[in-house]
Amino acid sequence: MEVYKSLTTTPDCPAEVWVYLACALFFLGFYKEAEEAASKAPMSPLQNRLLFHLAHKFNDEKKLMGFHQNLEDVIEDQLSLASIHYMRSHYQEAIDIYKRLLLQDRDFLALKVYVALCYYKLDYYDVSQEVLAVYLQRVPDSTIALNLKACNHFRLYNGKAAEAELKNLIDISSCSFEFAKELIRHNLVVFRGGEGALQVLPPLIDVIPEARLNLVIYYLRQDDVQEAYNLIQDLVPTTPQEYILKGVVNAALGQEIGSRDHLKIAQQFFQLVGGSASECDTIPGRQCMASCFFLLRQFDDVLIYLNSVKGYFFNDDTFNFNYAQAKAALGNYKQAEEIFLLIQNEKIKNDYVYISWLARCYIMNQKGQLAWELYLKMGTSSDSFSLLQLIANDCYKMGQFYYAAKAFDALEKLDPSSNYWEGKRGACVGIFQLILANKESKETLKEVVPLLRNSGNPQVEYIIRTLRKWAKDNRVLLS
């Protein structure tokens, strides 16, 4: 850059030096200065390509299209076009160009890496791996290729497999290793499930674009939603992944603080991705539409999208959690119960949303005892009080009066000044009616009397006298 700058001050400086200076400034990240320098250069294919890329950096769609029209069917221009397609997430269009160039000359071996990168971005990790293998046979110590191979292993297998591949790269320590050390440190954090995130990622936020996104994901996994929001709120999304993450963060924050505005923003982000031509038929795109309809509480539509991708999420606890909620919301309690019980993740199983929905499924499937056992396992909290209310009301509605009575009795003890007595009274009478209809064991009456006695209401004695008289007439011992 300094050499080119000094050349431009000489009287006999060739005019094309300005475009060379502009290229140097571009690669140093001085985009405004690069544009100024390029404007002083004579028109040329190189100048057009550079201005094409600068228009992309400045998000100037009109200029971008103008420079696009000036591109010719030559290798340099086509590679430039393919790179813009890649950066605009038009991966299939980029692949088409690279494949056409490879047909013209198979010695353009590095294009294999570009094709593999595109397939990786399209979630075709196995195809990416196959294409990459051809390149690695010829260039086994390529930092970029080995790193991409590790990323494919992470997606196809797990973090340990990916880390093993990255270790091969570190062991080789080729001359290019120094250039990629930040990328490797970043990826190791991802492969290790966020281990060391707070030490490694913050300094890389302005170096590696994904560092900010992965730090946001780390905060979300630590339930630090506010910190995740602080980190992403000023980010202007340009890729589907950024739109999705902004949607997830806004949804989480909206649910945490009860903000309809954040939930609406999340719904709009999800709809934008799921409805876009490039993403509508991808797995993340369909998940986005499911999330959009979930927030709108349109669960019929949620299931349309979740059913279309469920084959890719076998035994995925997060997917099953959302899938079961949608099933339950539509009254498919039997299927919902089965799906809820597939979940193994302890964090989800201890979430009140999980517990309350599973309790409701149990009750609707005539398993009130299992719902009551869920309550007994909970400690005293506002959530346990809410679960008691759910059990009391749902069991009453479903005619499972015994557990309704127990729940109303517990509620009355916690809040004697409320009208829970009326619910308990109705449930106790309901038990008696079931006994009369031979749908409940007569022995249950023994437990009804103590429940009634727990109340100080004047109606208690009258009801107990009635129950005792019937018990005496029917030879049922109450003591």
Side-chain angles (χ1 to χ4, degrees):
M1 181 187 73
E2 294 300 334
V3 171
Y4 286 136
K5 273 187 176 179
S6 64
L7 281 173
T8 59
T9 61
T10 60
D12 56 345
C13 172
E16 62 268 22
V17 168
W18 284 104
V19 77
Y20 302 152
L21 172 61
C23 288
L25 289 164
F26 177 86
F27 285 114
L28 288 168
F30 300 127
Y31 302 128
K32 280 286 180 190
E33 294 86 342
E35 187 178 43
E36 288 171 18
S39 67
K40 296 175 183 177
M43 288 183 64
S44 68
L46 176 58
Q47 184 215 39
N48 184 72
R49 288 195 296 273
L50 178 60
L51 292 172
F52 183 43
H53 278 266
L54 284 167
H56 167 71
K57 292 291 184 187
F58 296 139
N59 290 316
D60 191 327
E61 200 70 17
K62 190 176 178 182
K63 282 187 178 179
L64 187 83
M65 289 299 112
F67 296 124
H68 183 189
Q69 288 173 357
N70 296 334
L71 294 174
E72 298 176 7
D73 191 14
V74 295
I75 289 170
E76 293 85 355
D77 281 6
Q78 289 303 302
L79 285 174
S80 189
L81 176 58
S83 71
I84 292 292
H85 277 315
Y86 179 88
M87 288 185 284
R88 286 162 69 89
S89 303
H90 302 158
Y91 303 116
Q92 190 56 55
E93 290 86 341
I95 289 171
D96 293 341
I97 292 172
Y98 292 137
K99 282 188 172 180
R100 192 172 72 247
L101 293 175
L102 278 165
L103 283 173
Q104 292 172 17
D105 191 337
R106 293 197 172 275
D107 286 337
F108 293 149
L109 200 61
L111 296 189
K112 293 280 187 183
V113 180
Y114 299 161
V115 173
L117 275 165
C118 290
Y119 279 125
Y120 174 84
K121 290 289 190 178
L122 287 169
D123 297 343
Y124 295 127
Y125 308 116
D126 47 353
V127 180
S128 173
Q129 202 75 322
E130 287 175 21
V131 175
L132 201 57
V134 177
Y135 180 78
L136 281 169
Q137 282 178 348
R138 296 273 292 274
V139 191
D141 64 344
S142 164
T143 300
I144 296 296
L146 287 170
N147 179 67
L148 179 56
K149 184 181 179 183
C151 293
N152 279 325
H153 275 244
F154 179 63
R155 296 295 187 178
L156 288 167
Y157 310 113
N158 52 45
K160 281 190 175 180
E163 194 175 337
E165 288 299 325
L166 217 52
K167 188 175 184 299
N168 291 338
L169 170 57
I170 296 165
D171 289 345
I172 289 169
S173 295
S174 68
C175 59
S176 60
F177 173 69
E178 193 66 23
F179 131 79
K181 65 179 181 181
E182 287 94 352
L183 182 63
I184 291 167
R185 287 173 65 226
H186 168 274
N187 287 352
L188 277 174
V189 169
V190 177
F191 298 161
R192 291 169 178 171
E195 184 184 317
L198 294 179
Q199 290 75 38
V200 174
L201 299 184
L204 299 179
I205 282 176
D206 295 320
V207 179
I208 299 171
E210 291 86 353
R212 180 184 297 273
L213 306 185
N214 283 315
L215 188 54
V216 169
I217 291 168
Y218 172 80
Y219 283 131
L220 285 175
R221 286 178 173 165
Q222 300 301 311
D223 292 327
D224 196 344
V225 179
Q226 189 61 57
E227 199 62 47
Y229 179 74
N230 294 342
L231 194 57
I232 206 171
Q233 63 175 325
D234 294 327
L235 174 75
V236 179
T238 56
T239 66
Q241 291 78 14
E242 289 170 350
Y243 277 103
I244 291 168
L245 195 53
K246 283 206 82 163
V248 170
V249 172
N250 274 282
L253 187 63
Q255 289 172 328
E256 187 171 274
I257 66 175
S259 166
R260 286 183 177 274
D261 289 340
H262 284 295
L263 292 175
K264 186 169 179 59
I265 291 168
Q267 177 252 312
Q268 289 169 342
F269 278 136
F270 290 140
Q271 191 166 19
L272 202 62
V273 176
S276 68
S278 62
E279 296 298 313
C280 62
D281 287 326
T282 65
I283 294 170
R286 293 187 179 191
Q287 285 180 286
C288 279
M289 287 310 297
S291 299
C292 168
F293 287 122
F294 205 108
L295 293 174
L296 292 169
R297 305 191 68 77
Q298 296 176 21
F299 294 106
D300 279 318
D301 294 314
V302 172
L303 286 181
I304 288 171
Y305 285 97
L306 291 185
N307 281 327
S308 73
V309 297
K310 71 175 182 180
Y312 299 94
F313 292 96
F314 183 71
N315 281 347
D316 185 294
D317 285 343
T318 303
F319 177 86
N320 284 334
F321 187 31
N322 292 321
Y323 193 41
Q325 286 179 77
K327 288 276 189 185
L330 290 171
N332 298 331
Y333 295 109
K334 189 173 186 302
Q335 289 181 349
E337 179 191 329
E338 291 169 0
I339 299 165
F340 275 127
L341 293 175
L342 290 174
I343 294 170
Q344 299 298 313
N345 184 289
E346 288 301 321
K347 186 176 176 183
I348 294 176
K349 288 168 77 171
N350 290 323
D351 190 309
Y352 177 69
V353 175
Y354 173 89
I355 294 167
S356 59
W357 269 118
L358 181 58
R360 174 158 285 168
C361 290
Y362 280 148
I363 294 164
M364 296 301 165
N365 295 331
Q366 297 296 316
K367 300 174 183 176
Q369 180 182 349
L370 294 177
W372 182 250
E373 287 172 4
L374 282 177
Y375 162 70
L376 293 177
K377 290 175 186 173
M378 290 183 77
T380 304
S381 65
S382 59
D383 285 343
S384 64
F385 189 80
S386 298
L387 185 64
L388 268 179
Q389 291 177 311
L390 183 149
I391 293 171
N393 291 308
D394 279 9
C395 281
Y396 195 102
K397 184 168 71 176
M398 294 303 294
Q400 296 176 68
F401 296 117
Y402 174 66
Y403 291 103
K406 286 172 79 73
F408 277 123
D409 180 60
L411 287 166
E412 190 182 26
K413 287 175 183 173
L414 293 167
D415 187 4
S417 61
S418 65
N419 61 354
Y420 292 124
W421 155 250
E422 293 177 10
K424 184 166 80 169
R425 178 189 63 194
C428 288
V429 172
I431 294 169
F432 187 45
Q433 287 177 325
L434 290 175
I435 291 170
L436 292 176
N438 292 319
K439 292 181 179 178
E440 182 74 59
S441 168
K442 293 176 183 178
E443 299 300 312
T444 309
L445 210 57
K446 284 182 185 177
E447 297 184 51
V448 172
V449 174
L451 288 176
L452 287 167
R453 288 220 182 277
N454 289 337
S455 299
N457 195 283
Q459 296 175 347
V460 168
E461 289 307 321
Y462 171 75
I463 298 170
I464 289 177
R465 275 202 308 273
T466 304
L467 295 180
R468 284 193 180 284
K469 184 177 184 307
W470 181 88
K472 185 178 178 184
D473 293 342
N474 289 271
R475 297 179 180 179
V476 177
L477 287 172
L478 293 183
S479 56

